[in-house]
Amino acid sequence: MAWGKLERNADGSVARWHSLVDHMLDVAACFLALSSCTAVRRALERTAGKELNNPALARLAVLVFLHDIGKANTGFQGRRWLDHARPHGWANPAGHGGEALLALDSKDERLLAGLPLAQMDQWGSSVMGLLLASISHHGRPIADCVGMDPAIWRPAAGADGALLYSPTLTLDEIGATLARAFPVAFEAGGDELPGSPAFAHLFAGLVQLADWLGSDTRFFPFTASGEDRVQTVFARADEAVAAIGMDVRSARQALAGAPPDFARTFGIPTPHPMQLAAGEPTLGSLVILEAETGSGKTEAALWRFARLFDAGVVDALYFALPTRVAASQIYERVRQFATQLWPGRPPVVVRALPGYEAADGEKAVRLPDFKVQWNDRPEDREAHRRWAGEASKRFLAATIAVGTIDQVLLAALRVRHAHLRHATLARSLLVVDEVHA
């Protein structure tokens, strides 16, 4: 069986592993759960220029599933052993990005025979471009497979000729699992998948987000003995997306019984006309507000978010400032706003400052192996809610975040993980405070 994730003991030996196919399922299920979020679906359909029905989303999930297809190569699978302990017959260590392209370009018809490539060709001319975006899920586009050794896609055999591992059989298993998990994707007919650069950019970011979430063992523990992942993974994904705050239906429903009220939210009996006007949805998608210091611009911006969130126009808020000091000062004001707007259980408010991260007012402490501990040592349920505050690349996935403008600008530059930042920001009301600075 091919592995997708593994954990090692202190001596480097493998403690346990998670099957490649099940990990691919975890990530594809996360994509489907993310695409059901109101603002994420809206962004997908706007960049697609059309409605995306269930078959189209299932086909996109198939492409997301294939994000780690490159891990099926013999060189990658041989990495379960450390270099000095690798048995005879295994290819040299390899990665899984360009290696996936090498397989898709292979002239070995048997290698790819188990994959539904002919059916996928019927989904439109954009399929291979979107598959490339999926394979490029580590933050930057995969360029090519030039110079890679084709031997990594050959079987591993022992000194006695016995078969140790077959990438062909793994690809066969991948194809069979696709048919079981996403049958609607392979039904005949349907529209072609979108192919605009804007859609590909957004899709690439959602694949990266799904991979980060699907790789978190707090939500997706390694497969239990006898578990059929196809039967369990979709519920796990829904729970994970809700836990980190990307699915805001419960927060929106909490406002249904008590719609946003300016006086109650801000403790100001009579709002200024400017503040009331900021809450009008007819103002459009770009609002520029200029007023003297102390006139209530911050409250106006937060009120706009409250009204747009309640109406389902946005799912999140990113409050961007020019400096870390200014962001730290505004952070507590925004936390107070969230507490007043949601008196029962407000969404987590993240302080999006690398090295000074906070959520719910608690600071994150870095641990080995990219893990995080919160100062107040919250129970698991609370820790899950703070997922977006555990790494700078996740900040924009928060329901409410306060940080510096660079986090936004990094979503529009040709830098690593720009797609991820863009995809999470696409669901948000963006407030740029002190824009003159």
Side-chain angles (χ1 to χ4, degrees):
M1 177 185 293
W3 64 273
K5 299 286 181 181
L6 55 77
E7 292 181 358
R8 295 188 184 277
N9 297 310
D11 63 358
S13 61
V14 175
R16 61 193 189 109
W17 66 356
H18 188 42
S19 88
L20 173 59
V21 170
D22 286 354
H23 168 66
M24 294 165 79
L25 266 173
D26 294 342
V27 176
C30 283
F31 171 81
L32 281 180
L34 290 167
S35 67
S36 71
C37 298
T38 304
V40 173
R41 175 70 69 87
R42 182 187 300 119
L44 282 168
E45 293 184 339
R46 284 186 177 176
T47 54
K50 60 183 178 182
E51 180 181 349
L52 296 175
N53 56 21
N54 287 337
L57 290 171
R59 289 173 177 179
L60 291 171
V62 167
L63 299 178
V64 177
F65 180 98
L66 294 172
H67 77 288
D68 264 354
I69 190 173
K71 287 184 176 179
N73 79 75
T74 304
F76 184 90
Q77 290 300 313
R79 290 169 58 178
R80 68 189 73 184
W81 295 282
L82 300 180
D83 287 348
H84 67 276
R86 187 180 307 110
H88 171 82
W90 290 82
N92 291 328
H96 63 283
E99 291 80 358
L101 302 185
L102 185 65
L104 294 173
D105 288 341
S106 174
K107 305 303 181 185
D108 182 354
E109 294 183 0
R110 178 62 191 94
L111 177 65
L112 304 176
L115 298 177
L117 298 179
Q119 291 164 281
M120 292 167 58
D121 280 342
Q122 305 305 310
W123 300 350
S125 59
S126 64
V127 167
M128 290 309 298
L130 292 175
L131 179 56
L132 177 59
S134 180
I135 292 170
S136 304
H137 59 276
H138 283 296
R140 61 169 58 98
I142 300 296
D144 53 48
C145 55
V146 174
M148 293 185 178
D149 184 0
I152 63 173
W153 284 104
R154 296 173 191 153
D160 60 355
L163 180 66
L164 302 175
Y165 172 76
S166 169
T168 300
L169 294 180
T170 298
L171 295 181
D172 288 348
E173 183 187 4
I174 288 171
T177 304
L178 281 174
R180 283 188 62 221
F182 309 103
V184 68
F186 300 101
E187 294 177 357
D191 295 337
E192 292 190 354
L193 291 179
S196 71
F199 183 84
H201 185 40
L202 178 62
F203 175 71
L206 290 173
V207 178
Q208 291 174 29
L209 179 60
D211 183 52
W212 276 48
L213 187 55
S215 300
D216 194 321
T217 55
R218 292 173 294 181
F219 301 114
F220 298 93
F222 290 3
T223 306
S225 177
E227 178 186 354
D228 181 358
R229 202 68 164 196
V230 173
Q231 301 300 319
T232 62
V233 71
F234 297 103
R236 288 185 190 275
D238 288 341
E239 292 170 1
V241 170
I244 68 171
M246 286 288 291
D247 183 346
V248 298
R249 282 177 292 186
S250 62
R252 188 166 286 131
Q253 289 168 0
L255 295 181
D261 176 80
F262 191 96
R264 175 174 58 83
T265 302
F266 298 105
I268 302 174
T270 305
H272 299 305
M274 170 262 293
Q275 293 171 328
L276 280 181
E280 292 298 325
T282 56
L283 287 178
S285 60
L286 176 62
V287 176
I288 301 174
L289 179 59
E290 183 177 8
E292 64 274 11
T293 300
S295 60
K297 297 187 297 297
T298 298
E299 288 76 12
L302 294 174
W303 181 239
R304 182 160 185 77
F305 166 68
R307 292 293 304 277
L308 294 180
F309 183 90
D310 184 45
V313 178
V314 299
D315 280 6
L317 167 69
Y318 187 75
F319 207 110
L321 295 109
T323 67
R324 292 165 64 92
V325 171
S328 295
Q329 292 172 343
I330 291 291
Y331 175 65
E332 290 301 329
R333 292 176 65 183
V334 175
R335 283 190 66 217
Q336 180 65 26
F337 154 77
T339 301
Q340 294 298 111
L341 188 61
W342 287 278
R345 185 177 173 83
V348 171
V349 180
V350 169
R351 182 169 61 201
L353 300 176
Y356 196 50
E357 302 93 337
D360 290 337
E362 298 295 334
K363 196 173 186 303
V365 178
R366 296 283 157 204
L367 299 176
D369 298 325
F370 305 102
K371 294 180 180 178
V372 169
Q373 175 181 292
W374 295 96
N375 278 350
D376 59 344
R377 297 176 180 268
E379 59 173 331
D380 288 346
R381 179 180 176 84
E382 295 302 309
H384 292 172
R385 295 179 71 229
R386 298 172 181 179
W387 187 85
E390 294 181 350
S392 60
K393 299 176 187 68
R394 303 180 191 172
F395 286 159
L396 298 176
T399 306
I400 302 176
V402 180
T404 47
I405 188 66
D406 61 302
Q407 294 298 321
V408 174
L409 300 178
L410 287 169
L413 298 176
R414 293 184 64 182
V415 295
R416 195 175 184 189
H417 298 297
H419 305 87
L420 172 62
R421 286 187 166 95
H422 166 72
T424 48
L425 183 64
R427 53 197 274 276
S428 305
L429 171 67
L430 171 63
V431 176
V432 183
D433 200 7
E434 301 183 24
V435 69
H436 61 278

